[in-house]
Each structure stands twice: as structure tokens, then as C-alpha cells.
Amino acid sequence: MLYTRWIFLWITWTMAQPFAIAVHGGAGHITPHNLPPEKVQKIEQYLREVVEEGYALLNQGRMALEVVEIAVRRLEDAGWFNAGRGAVLNEDGFPELDAGIMDGKDKRVGAVAAVSQTQNPITLARLVMERTPHVLIVGTGADSLARLWRLPPFQNQGYPQSETLWASGTVGAVALDKYGNLAAATSTGGIPRKKRGRVGDSPLVGAGLYAENGVVAISTTGHGEYFIRSVLAYDIAARLRYIRTSLPEAIQEAFQQRLEPIGGTGGVIAVSPTGEIFFHFNTPGMYRAGKDAKGTLMVGIFR
Amino acid sequence: MLYTRWIFLWITWTMAQPFAIAVHGGAGHITPHNLPPEKVQKIEQYLREVVEEGYALLNQGRMALEVVEIAVRRLEDAGWFNAGRGAVLNEDGFPELDAGIMDGKDKRVGAVAAVSQTQNPITLARLVMERTPHVLIVGTGADSLARLWRLPPFQNQGYPQSETLWASGTVGAVALDKYGNLAAATSTGGIPRKKRGRVGDSPLVGAGLYAENGVVAISTTGHGEYFIRSVLAYDIAARLRYIRTSLPEAIQEAFQQRLEPIGGTGGVIAVSPTGEIFFHFNTPGMYRAGKDAKGTLMVGIFR
């Protein structure tokens, strides 16, 4: 009897815990003029599916870390975005991918940069976190780990050059699970025609992503150099920790006071410890979707 | 007549402006038991020379950015420290160096990681800042830039394996110049027997270095993974910006509240906008030296 009572209490407890997820497919010069209506519909549909899938997993009790990895894998596999299969090429004509993942529970991090031999750098990043004593592994060293761990090889679907204007996006996901854990993940192909070996903000903790239980989970997108120089993701977290401002204010002030004065453009997605989700960008558009703790679904591309 | 008066005013002004420099050669298990007295004397002498040279350059009116680059080059060339000529080897038996430099005036940054073909990665980092639109370039991409820009090739002097206990150090420098500019630079060979491609905190803005005029310049050393996960350098700056605590308190609290709870060990050097310098470490020793705005010289190794 006691046993069934505990099960009942557990079910009641988990049903009452907030959970939420948000994803992005990049911010940039995305307008109704350069994105045809049929693409709008397809991309919005895809983002909605990714969010609904992640939300269902969280509802089943899966951890935030797992869910952001799964969501980012889906965005890497899409070929719609500048990450995984859809990655742009560097100046030497081949893709070099960057990705990072962070678990807000214990501040563990895994990241890879300038990798060319796997389609899912976010999974390689997670394995770096779980199977090595390191946090960030780059270049051929990271590629040889991808082979060692038998990750599926990279299959570039060929970036649609004529469509660069709309497919400008880094991808990312943030989530809150039922146990109060926050997690963030970001993955990108970087800037088209970048110098070989160039690394942007996406794999860098504090710049392209940050997660800390009780504070916030953030994933950013945009012109990476400016996000690195302004340490944007951790600046938002620091405002929450030290000024105790609200999350939307912290995001807005970080953009106004740090990113924009040096000329940076881009966007962020964030989830709070109570399952609110926020989107912010200073570009014409950002591919984005999310479902908050109240079950409200949001999907959008333009302002 | 007016002309000589302006020259006189300029000289008076520059003579009244504070300037300061601090350098480190790494923190670690450095004790009087494993560091023989003759090494203590030699290393202290070398650190003193680097500081006096930098201080003299600042007094002549050179910029903080130049001076931290010159100081770090001297430490890379020494062969005493785990950077430049003295770098440790990775698991595959060759050195892979990381370095980063930041100008607090305009938050410009240059960094390189996992480079093997130049002895002075700090200079390569500065050239990345000045000659490319990027902030961080890694691996073979960075090595090919070193060749393109004709930097002197790497000449490993062979890391003295028997002396690993005392020569455990990343190197770094922070400076304030007469024009109120702060700058920071950090350079390292990383962890001995690290996986190929592993990048530590040294080249990462917000982790291994940070500089912002009117706030602080910081260079860190220690177990890099923990400094990355706690975004330590920018956390100190954020405390100064948002809590308006004192610099020594900000450093101590960042260690106690962020680095130490996850098990991190290491040290930092910092210079304030008024030319005070601070050293802090939670290891038995840190190679360190500095000269503050009052002209006080400090040199030390042990607690």
C-alpha cells in the first residue's frame, strides 16, 4: 500500500513540475522579400515539429541535456540551416563545423570546433564532455575522435548558394526539464568563406551558450566575433546573478550596452528556471520556436 | 611660445598618469621542496626583468596592448615556462600552443589555439586581431597564417620532463598604460599529454583573459577546463561592473563561489584602472611579478 502511495505521489509531483523548450535556426537578414512563402511554411513546420518532439520528451521525464542534443541534431540534419548537413563552406571550399553543449546542473561542458568529418558536431561535443577530461577539442584532433567513436560521417548536401540570404542560420536549443535542470546547445557552420580554422562563438561557453540551474539557459546566433568580444551569454547570466534584473531586461540591456555599441548583430533564445521562454534579436528576422511551461507554442521568423 | 607651453603641459600630464604591469608564469604545485633555490633565484630574476622592461616601455608612453605582447613573448622565449619554447607535448608527442590577447580600449581580441608552427603564438594572436576579420583561428588554419606572415618557426627546446613539477606554467601579462588603456595576454602549451586538439582557457575571452577599460584586465592560469566552465575572467569583471565590489573581493568571491565549488585550481593576475595590481591563487605557488602605479615592485613564487 505504501508503495503505490509513493508512485502516486511521484506521478503527481512530476505532473506539477514546469518544463519548457525553445529552439532557433539563426538570425539574419531574413525578410518576406527574400524568403518565399512556401519556404516560410516549410521551415515553420519543421521548427514546430522539433519543438513538439522535445516538449514530448521533457514531458516523459527526459533530461534537458538529452533533449537539447536531440533538438539540435534534428536541426543539423535538416539541411535548411547553416549547421550539420546545411553548413556553409570556408575559403578553401570545405565545411568546418563548431558546436557546444552545457549542462546547467553541474556546469559540465563539451565543445568541438573546426571539425569536418561528422554531420552531428553536437553529438561529438557531448561525447567530448562525457568521454574525455577536456571541454573543447578542435580540428583534426576532434575529427579523429569522431572516427574513433564511429559517428556517422559528414555528408554535405551542398549549401544552396542561391539561397544564402534566407538560410543564414546557426542552430540552437535551450530547455528546462522536470527536475529543474537547464541545458543549452549551439551548432553552426560559421561564416561563409571564413578563413580555415576560424572559430565563432557557438562552441564557446559564455559567448555562444550558457546554462546554470536556477539562473538561465541561453543559445545565441549572429556575427560570432562580436558575441565573443562581449561575452554575451554569460553577461546575461551575470546580470541575473548580480543585478537580479528580470530575464527580458537582462537580455535587452546586454544587447544595448555590450553587443550593439561594438556593432554586433544577432539574436538569443533563453529559458528561465520557471519555464518562461524569451526570444530577442536585432536583425530583420530569426528562425525561432518554443513551448513554455504553460504549454503555449510560439513559432516565428520575421519581427 | 604657445608651442613650448603645450609640450610642457603634455609632459606634465603624462608624468602624472598612472601605469602598471603584472605578469605570471603559471600556478601549480610549486613548493620550496620541488623547486631548488638556484631555480628560484633564476626565475625570480627573469620575471623581474620582464616586469622592469614592460614598466619602462609604459613609462615611455607605449600602449598597454604592445607591452603585454612584448612581455608574453619574453616569457614564451624563456623556455622556463609551459608556453612557447618551453611548451609541453600532447599525447601524440608534439606541442600544440594556445594564446589570446585583448585590448580593453575597444574590446578587440585575437586568439589562436592548437598551433604547432610558431614559437610566439601571442604574436600570431595579435596578427589575427589586426589582419583578419576573425577573433579565434585554430589548428592548421592558424599554422598556415603563421607561415604566410613569416613568423619565426617553432623551436621546441625540449620540455625538461624531470622538471615538470616546477615548470608547470602558462604565462600571462596585464597592463595599464598612461592613456588609461587596459590590456591582457595569455599563452600556454596546455596540459601535458593532452588529447590532440584540446584547447584550454588561455585563448578564450572571459575564461583565460579579459580586458575592459575602466573595469579590469585579467590573465588566468590553472586547470583550464574549470576556468572555461566558470567563465572566470569575465565573472570577475561582471562583479566589478554589476555589484561594484572591490577588485580583490571580486577575485576572491569568484574563486570561492564559482571555481572552487566545481573543483578548480589555479590563479589570476589583475590590474585595476588606477594601476593597482593583484595576485590570487589557490595552489601552493604561482610564478608572479608586477610593478604598480606607485612604483612598488613585487616578485614571488610561493605563498
Side-chain angles (χ1 to χ4, degrees):
Chain A
M1 284 304 281
L2 203 66
Y3 187 64
T4 48
R5 185 202 229 165
W6 280 113
I7 290 173
F8 176 76
L9 280 172
W10 168 254
I11 291 168
T12 316
W13 181 85
T14 60
M15 283 177 67
Q17 297 312 304
F19 59 96
I21 182 170
V23 303
H24 69 81
H29 195 74
I30 309 159
T31 69
H33 296 286
N34 57 34
L35 190 65
E38 65 274 16
K39 301 273 181 193
V40 170
Q41 211 190 338
K42 273 191 183 174
I43 295 179
E44 286 192 348
Q45 174 64 24
Y46 197 88
L47 292 170
R48 191 180 297 119
E49 280 173 24
V50 172
V51 160
E52 292 287 9
E53 184 189 346
Y55 201 77
L57 292 170
L58 291 166
N59 194 20
Q60 287 164 24
R62 299 282 284 272
M63 307 276 281
L65 184 73
E66 286 181 90
V67 172
V68 294
E69 184 202 345
I70 291 168
V72 167
R73 280 180 70 100
R74 289 264 278 154
L75 297 165
E76 286 172 341
D77 290 343
W80 297 105
F81 309 106
N82 176 15
R85 267 175 75 210
V88 299
L89 309 181
N90 67 11
E91 64 174 7
D92 294 343
F94 63 94
E96 288 185 307
L97 312 178
D98 305 337
I101 191 166
M102 184 165 189
D103 188 346
K105 187 175 60 171
D106 46 16
K107 301 201 195 87
R108 284 199 308 160
V109 176
V112 294
V115 297
S116 302
Q117 300 199 4
T118 179
Q119 184 169 308
N120 295 114
I122 199 67
T123 296
L124 185 57
R126 188 172 170 194
L127 293 177
V128 164
M129 175 172 112
E130 293 180 348
R131 297 187 184 175
T132 80
H134 302 318
V135 160
L136 171 59
I137 299 184
V138 303
T140 54
D143 276 328
S144 62
L145 290 178
R147 288 192 303 273
L148 180 72
W149 295 331
R150 298 172 188 280
L151 298 195
F154 185 76
Q155 296 189 311
N156 197 349
Q157 71 153 28
Y159 188 71
Q161 291 296 337
S162 58
E163 296 173 300
T164 43
L165 279 174
W166 62 267
S168 55
T170 294
V171 305
V174 291
L176 168 73
D177 67 26
K178 288 186 170 181
Y179 319 104
N181 300 315
L182 292 164
T186 309
S187 179
T188 191
I191 291 179
R193 289 171 293 281
K194 63 186 177 184
K195 283 201 180 295
R196 183 156 51 91
R198 176 266 187 186
V199 178
D201 62 321
S202 302
L204 304 184
V205 175
L209 75 162
Y210 189 73
E212 182 173 337
N213 280 11
V215 182
V216 71
I218 293 168
S219 171
T220 77
T221 167
H223 198 140
E225 276 73 7
Y226 298 94
F227 284 76
I228 294 175
R229 290 167 56 198
S230 51
V231 201
L232 198 90
Y234 188 65
D235 183 69
I236 293 168
R239 286 169 195 267
L240 296 171
R241 284 173 59 100
Y242 303 136
I243 317 183
R244 301 186 190 287
T245 179
S246 73
L247 178 49
E249 274 173 349
I251 294 171
Q252 204 164 358
E253 285 171 9
F255 267 63
Q256 284 171 1
Q257 294 169 18
R258 290 186 60 83
L259 189 70
E260 290 163 5
I262 58 171
T265 57
V268 302
I269 58 171
V271 58
S272 78
T274 49
E276 300 157 291
I277 61 178
F278 299 98
F279 305 96
H280 185 81
F281 52 103
N282 66 1
T283 49
M286 177 165 77
Y287 300 115
R288 61 198 187 275
K291 200 165 183 177
D292 67 14
K294 291 178 184 155
T296 312
L297 178 74
M298 284 155 276
V299 183
I301 296 180
F302 311 116
R303 283 220 159 266
Chain B
M1 283 302 282
L2 204 67
Y3 187 62
T4 46
R5 184 200 229 166
W6 280 114
I7 290 173
F8 177 77
L9 279 172
W10 168 253
I11 291 168
T12 317
W13 181 84
T14 58
M15 282 177 66
Q17 299 311 306
F19 58 96
I21 182 170
V23 303
H24 69 81
H29 194 75
I30 310 159
T31 69
H33 296 287
N34 57 32
L35 189 66
E38 66 274 16
K39 303 272 180 194
V40 170
Q41 212 190 334
K42 273 191 182 174
I43 295 178
E44 286 191 347
Q45 175 62 25
Y46 197 89
L47 292 171
R48 190 180 298 119
E49 281 172 25
V50 172
V51 161
E52 292 288 10
E53 184 189 344
Y55 201 77
L57 292 170
L58 290 166
N59 195 20
Q60 288 164 24
R62 299 282 285 272
M63 306 277 281
L65 184 74
E66 286 180 89
V67 172
V68 295
E69 184 201 346
I70 291 167
V72 167
R73 279 180 71 99
R74 289 265 277 153
L75 297 165
E76 286 173 341
D77 290 343
W80 297 105
F81 309 107
N82 175 16
R85 266 176 76 210
V88 299
L89 309 181
N90 67 11
E91 64 173 6
D92 294 344
F94 65 93
E96 288 185 306
L97 312 178
D98 305 338
I101 190 165
M102 184 165 191
D103 188 347
K105 188 175 60 170
D106 46 16
K107 300 201 195 86
R108 283 200 308 161
V109 176
V112 293
V115 297
S116 301
Q117 301 200 4
T118 179
Q119 183 169 308
N120 295 115
I122 199 67
T123 297
L124 185 57
R126 188 171 168 195
L127 293 176
V128 164
M129 177 172 111
E130 292 180 349
R131 297 186 184 175
T132 80
H134 302 319
V135 160
L136 171 59
I137 299 185
V138 303
T140 54
D143 276 328
S144 61
L145 291 177
R147 288 192 304 272
L148 179 71
W149 295 331
R150 298 173 188 279
L151 298 196
F154 185 75
Q155 297 189 310
N156 197 350
Q157 71 153 29
Y159 188 71
Q161 291 297 335
S162 58
E163 296 173 299
T164 44
L165 279 175
W166 62 266
S168 54
T170 294
V171 305
V174 291
L176 168 73
D177 67 27
K178 287 186 171 181
Y179 320 105
N181 299 315
L182 291 164
T186 310
S187 179
T188 191
I191 290 178
R193 288 172 293 281
K194 65 187 176 183
K195 282 200 181 296
R196 183 156 52 91
R198 177 265 187 187
V199 178
D201 62 323
S202 303
L204 303 184
V205 176
L209 75 161
Y210 189 74
E212 183 174 337
N213 280 11
V215 182
V216 71
I218 293 168
S219 171
T220 76
T221 167
H223 197 140
E225 276 73 7
Y226 298 95
F227 284 76
I228 294 175
R229 290 166 56 198
S230 51
V231 201
L232 200 90
Y234 189 65
D235 184 68
I236 293 169
R239 286 170 195 266
L240 296 171
R241 283 174 60 100
Y242 304 136
I243 316 183
R244 301 185 189 285
T245 179
S246 73
L247 178 50
E249 274 174 350
I251 295 171
Q252 203 164 358
E253 286 171 9
F255 267 63
Q256 284 170 2
Q257 294 169 20
R258 290 187 59 84
L259 189 71
E260 290 163 4
I262 59 171
T265 57
V268 302
I269 59 171
V271 59
S272 78
T274 50
E276 299 157 291
I277 59 177
F278 297 98
F279 305 98
H280 184 81
F281 51 102
N282 66 1
T283 49
M286 176 164 77
Y287 300 114
R288 62 198 187 275
K291 200 167 184 177
D292 68 14
K294 291 178 184 156
T296 311
L297 179 75
M298 284 154 276
V299 183
I301 295 181
F302 311 116
R303 282 217 162 270

